[in-house]
Amino acid sequence: FDERSGGGLECNPLNGDYLDCPFARVGINKNDGTREYSFLRDHSMEWNKDGWNKFSQYFTFTDEVTEGGFESVIVYIMGGARGSGLLIDDIKWEWITTDFPTLSPSTGYPSIEPTTSSPTTPFPTLVPTDSIMPTSDLCVLMIPNGDAESGDISQFKTFRSNIGVSSPGYGGSKYAFRSYNRDRWKSGPYVKLAPLHCMTEGSFWEVSFQTRVLDRNGRGVNCDPSRITYRDCPLVQLKIKKEGVDGVYETFIRDNTMNWSPTHWNTFKTYLTLPPELSNPTEFMVTFVGGDPGTTLLLDNVVWSRYDSQFPSLTPTLTPTVAPTDSINPTENYCVNLVSHGGAESGTIEGWQGEMSSVGMSDPGYGNSEYAYRAYNRRRWKSGISTTLGPTRCLQEGTYWHMSFKVRILDGNGNGVNCDPSKYDYTDCPLVMLNVEKNDGVTYSLVIRDHNMDWAPNDWNSFDAWLTLTPDITDAAKEFTIIVAGGETQTDLILDNISWSISTQHPSVAPTTNPTVFPTILPTLSPSFVPSIIPTMVPSFIPTDSPTRTHCIEMIYDADAEDDVSGWIPFEADDLIVHTTGYGGSRNAFKILGRTAWTSGMTKNLTPLTCFVDGDVYHISFKARLFDETSGNTIRCQANNAEYKDCPMVWVRATDSTGYTHNTILRDYGMSFDSDGWASFEGDLAITAEMIGAGLVSFNLNFAGGTAGSVLLIDDVSMHITTAFPTTSPSVLPTALPTNAPTSGPTPFHPTTVPSITPSDLPSAVPSQDPTMDPCRHMIPNGDFEDGDISAWGASRSRIREFSPGYEGSNFALESYRRGRWNVGPQIELNPLSCMPVETMFFVSFKIRVADGSAGGVDCNPSETDSKECPVVILDIARTDGTGERLYLRDHNMVWDPNGWNSFGVHFPITPSIIDSATVIVATIAGLGKSDFYLDDIVWLKTTQMPTLSPSEVPTLLPSNVPTVEPTLIPSSSPTPDQCDHMIRDGDAESGEITSRWHALSSSIDVISPGYDGSNYAYMAYNRWAWDNGIERDITPSHCFAEGTYWNVKFKVKLYNEDGQDIVCD
């Protein structure tokens, strides 16, 4: 049915590969880690769009399907046009034990009597979930069978563990839940809570259970729940997904008041007020974790229950896992060595886990000791063994640490393997990877090598390296993990005497003082910290010495997604994930989904930029495969077309300090596909003076190609400098494209053969460098969308498409839809920045209307200073020093019609604060709450007299950094009293809510009752680890802060400790 109108939709089941009717996809998870899909369509359905329809199909487990064994079967039910609602009922998966229907030779479908539709019935009235009032029956017991007495564990799934029941349970009951084979403190059983409409903002919840922690011998384990961020005691992990928000919000609930007994059952009990971040979710997952790796977790009488009336007067314990950093002396004894099981003499692997490998013991150890650790079944050079460093508070900024261990590398026959540690980016010798998980969900990664090892293949070798912890490493750090890895695939690592110890000074050995570092960004961002502009992957920690040629040899080394997609982001595509089968049977590959054009793909920002020198040539290679996203059929293409778009390619975007972007496309005309559909791409990229321009500020490598709707797999990406330098000037590139290219053998891309990319070859034309061209009069081309072309526009955390009719019956407008928040929408880069000198004036105008049938805020009051319900233009400005700024343009004089087209128009001047050192300015049109909307007749006009010139279309670019400050730029010459009189209007907290302008500053914030002098509420900052942690507020409009103005700042405040005792200060 149509999700907006509720009316039934037509579909055609007779179409061979239909998508608009319901169908099923069966996924077989094989034992070798691959997944095979089959699609089931019922072509015998007689479709009734106004009633229920019956789907019936058959699936045979053939020898081909079951070959090699499989672990599980996943059934997906899908189909219907985009934006439609799908109702499913009476789902059955039945084993047919007798005669299977005879297949029709002509169609291959079961020759059974056509199924008839159910009697025509109207569709049920759908009630929005936010209007359902949770009742006691629905929400009191969100975890049924929490006492385990039925012995049923089916409601629980497990993460890196197993689950069963244990007898006896708490208080002599029959059963308790038992979580075992836990390889880390985060391992444990989880449950997805339902119904989700119970999870409303401000609702009160009890979280409680009985628990014990046992060691491998079944003995009780002691722990200390009084520590703010404990891990060795039981706790609860929450993971929440929300509509329109990328990523997963993660937090933990601890009970710091437990009186822990290792020999008896313990009561975990705490209360929670559901904050906005956790309310109204699309998925709410509760995981029971805690306890050291290898321990068993017992649970009984598990309760997640809603209180409909008075909330118990207990302090909430919803806390971020932040360790204090200002109250510890790192030189104290427990900080000397943070690896507690480095010597292996216990004969167990306690404290260590395998990373893409197995872990066991080897004998003898170093110096004829009894044991060493052995990492085997290693799939990649990154495979090895890992452990978590602790306590975290020892790892402070400015401290020096010495990493050391003894190591051997053995082949499959037990023979020693040689390697060369002197190579800058070696992977065949031992190394250490340090992963630092931050509080905002970002993981910072470093690779540390010892280039001074004297390697002996048939003896033990000593690894020694030193590291200074910088703010980039320590700021907001939550967890430090080291992985000892290195060595070719399928070799064994033998390790002993592993140490991470405090050091008083750096050694004099130069190469190890600045270890090789590769920062990465992981995709699981906490929604409250997700910027609206995608950050570029610029490393914030690099060796302090300037890059030499050895730093630039391997810009990308064998990127294969064997771990994750760190450092890569989707480009004009819905998602970038890990595909479970890579090239040549390897474990993983990059997988790009939801590709809307041939330019859609994945991108990486390459650094350091000083590596790109005029005249250098880089060789780029990768493996690629294309297949249809719906049918799964492999797509093969002909790469001998001079301007092909349906085959894999590389699109290079180099942006200089003026904002000009130089575009180059590399194609491999000799590309061919193997029997599995994989193609090998080879090409050479010449770095030219035109590419470098006025000085690079970003260098992006995009992997694209293939028709819209196809899935692109990428594996084994490499980019390295080559000695095959061109013999002709690299700046002279012919513009004529060959009509035919060789059909055999990859064609190297030297400057004599690489074509320049013409504007028509890119989705948006390359800005012209002709000095006679000046696109300053109209900064936004094709603002009326009359040719239906929206390629110059992008979308931040939303989608865009053409819409007809446009304003006043014109052919087209632009529609912004799937908006999950008020400050996202269509966006375009303003280019060139040379058009925007100081003191020039611009006029911005457009027509806007709320989309038909859209739900959300449309109650716009243009006179409000910072309304989220009215249209707004957001300017994101990136600067050369890596900082940025965000400005808001609002039309406070517009007349709002909630049911028709509205006119937005503001004048604003270019000030030094806007343009100075700016490298990129992106304009986003947003507002109207979360409603979808239509845009037309967009004008960005320079109001001073300029030559009338042909505008140049520009590709969409995103700035690298945007701060949280949100000033409102109001086109008025002087501040008005009503705007600047009271800059904070919600300072009394009497709304009982924390509005979007209040932020936690390295702390947690909430409202508490009563407030000052008996008022209803006050703001509370807790989980504060340092004196400068507290509450922060954005103050706008910024033009009120004129030089010489005088301000009064006042508030009521009290301080108290965790026991509720008042604190006196001087």
Side-chain angles (χ1 to χ4, degrees), residues 521 533-539 567 569 605 697-698 700 958-961:
I521 301 295
I533 301 298
I534 301 173
T536 55
M537 310 303 173
V538 179
I569 58 175
N605 193 329
V697 295
S698 68
N700 286 279
L958 299 175
S960 60
N961 193 5

Side-chain angles (χ1 to χ4, degrees), residues 680-714:
S680 296
F681 182 100
E682 304 280 342
D684 289 333
L685 173 67
I687 307 300
T688 66
E690 288 85 352
M691 192 178 294
I692 298 171
L696 289 172
V697 295
S698 68
F699 194 100
N700 286 279
L701 210 60
N702 295 358
F703 294 84
T707 57
S710 62
V711 176
L712 178 60
L713 301 183
I714 300 290

Side-chain angles (χ1 to χ4, degrees), residues 866-1036:
D866 55 357
S867 171
K868 300 175 183 177
E869 309 298 326
C870 294
V872 59
V873 177
I874 303 173
L875 296 183
D876 286 303
I877 306 167
R879 308 195 186 279
T880 53
D881 60 0
T883 63
E885 188 174 5
R886 170 168 284 186
L887 303 176
Y888 293 72
L889 306 181
R890 291 181 167 91
D891 181 1
H892 297 290
N893 297 311
M894 69 185 302
V895 178
W896 181 252
D897 177 4
N899 300 312
W901 285 96
N902 297 271
S903 296
F904 177 101
V906 295
H907 289 82
F908 76 99
I910 302 299
T911 63
S913 64
I914 294 176
I915 200 64
D916 284 356
S917 71
T919 60
V920 178
I921 299 180
V922 171
T924 303
I925 299 178
L928 305 191
K930 299 179 183 179
S931 299
D932 300 346
F933 58 78
Y934 308 130
L935 283 174
D936 207 351
D937 294 350
I938 304 172
V939 174
W940 196 284
L941 182 68
K942 194 171 185 177
T943 58
T944 54
Q945 183 60 41
M946 298 293 292
T948 302
L949 302 169
S950 302
S952 297
E953 295 181 344
V954 295
T956 301
L957 274 181
L958 299 175
S960 60
N961 193 5
V962 179
T964 56
V965 179
E966 302 180 355
T968 301
L969 188 61
I970 296 179
S972 60
S973 58
S974 60
T976 59
D978 62 323
Q979 292 173 329
C980 305
D981 188 15
H982 295 289
M983 299 289 282
I984 298 179
R985 298 174 184 267
D986 55 354
D988 58 8
E990 288 308 286
S991 69
E993 298 179 351
I994 299 173
T995 63
S996 61
R997 291 196 173 275
W998 294 93
H999 311 289
L1001 187 63
S1002 300
S1003 65
S1004 301
I1005 60 174
D1006 205 343
V1007 289
I1008 191 172
S1009 181
Y1012 170 72
D1013 200 23
S1015 61
N1016 291 326
Y1017 296 107
Y1019 295 111
M1020 175 177 68
Y1022 60 105
N1023 293 331
R1024 302 173 59 242
W1025 315 121
W1027 66 270
D1028 56 355
N1029 299 167
I1031 298 178
E1032 176 182 65
R1033 193 190 191 280
D1034 300 340
I1035 302 181
T1036 59

Side-chain angles (χ1 to χ4, degrees), residues 1045-1064:
T1045 53
Y1046 186 77
W1047 298 86
N1048 174 239
V1049 182
K1050 61 182 179 181
F1051 52 90
K1052 304 297 182 182
V1053 61
K1054 68 179 294 187
L1055 291 164
Y1056 57 90
N1057 60 25
E1058 292 180 351
D1059 297 324
Q1061 298 170 333
D1062 288 348
I1063 295 175
V1064 179

Side-chain angles (χ1 to χ4, degrees), residues 181-202:
N181 289 339
R182 303 170 60 246
D183 64 355
R184 56 185 59 188
W185 69 271
K186 284 186 178 180
S187 304
Y190 67 88
V191 61
K192 294 182 180 179
L193 299 185
L196 293 174
H197 65 253
C198 294
M199 317 304 291
T200 55
E201 182 178 346

